Amino acid sequence: MNIKPIKTEADYEATLTRIADLMDAELNTPEGDELDVLTTLVEHYETKHHSISAPNPIEAIRFRMEQYGLQDKDLIPYLGRSGRVSEVLNYKRKLTLPMIRKLHKGLNISTESLVQDYELKQA
């Protein structure tokens, strides 16, 4: 077992290839231990170099609407009257804590995505 830090994209690709070769390794064997260590190294490298930020709240809402086939009017129970729905979706009004709670509970949108700060777009 020759394990070294992942410093470059080439190291990363080589480590992923080795992980694929070890996927069937049994626990508590040298191969299983190597797999465990390599996956830890890859997770660290990906966190540092390939992190994906959460979408802004409006993008998260629009994505869920698309998934569920919802229209703007379907958000009234979560955001309030239709004018407020329009204001939120057009970045003219920020989400409130009650809105965030309702969206999380009713549409299963992660609170992490909903509480992010985002810029209000100017008209």
Side-chain angles (χ1 to χ4, degrees):
M1 174 166 46
N2 183 17
I3 296 179
K4 60 182 183 129
I6 301 172
K7 296 180 181 177
T8 66
E9 198 67 24
D11 292 343
Y12 173 69
E13 293 296 331
T15 304
L16 290 178
T17 300
R18 180 63 181 150
I19 287 172
D21 294 342
L22 295 170
M23 286 306 288
D24 293 327
E26 294 190 26
L27 293 175
N28 301 319
T29 64
E31 291 82 13
D33 292 344
E34 182 181 359
L35 177 61
D36 187 38
V37 171
L38 291 177
T39 56
T40 301
L41 288 172
V42 165
E43 287 172 0
H44 175 74
Y45 183 84
E46 287 176 343
T47 299
K48 189 173 179 182
H49 298 281
H50 296 277
S51 65
I52 300 172
S53 59
N56 80 39
I58 305 311
E59 290 171 356
I61 293 168
R62 289 195 180 278
F63 179 73
R64 186 65 73 198
M65 289 172 68
E66 184 179 321
Q67 283 183 317
Y68 290 175
L70 301 176
Q71 297 178 1
D72 291 3
K73 67 179 180 172
D74 298 318
L75 296 181
I76 291 173
Y78 310 105
L79 303 178
R81 58 184 171 72
S82 63
R84 183 160 296 138
V85 170
S86 177
E87 290 171 346
V88 168
L89 293 179
N90 289 304
Y91 296 88
K92 297 189 185 299
R93 178 185 293 265
K94 289 199 176 215
L95 295 171
T96 64
L97 189 55
M99 289 176 188
I100 290 169
R101 287 182 176 141
K102 289 176 185 177
L103 288 164
H104 173 68
K105 185 175 182 182
L107 297 179
N108 197 29
I109 301 173
S110 79
T111 53
E112 180 180 285
S113 293
L114 294 171
V115 297
Q116 281 191 27
D117 195 23
Y118 57 98
E119 295 296 318
L120 292 174
K121 293 185 179 177
Q122 299 299 321

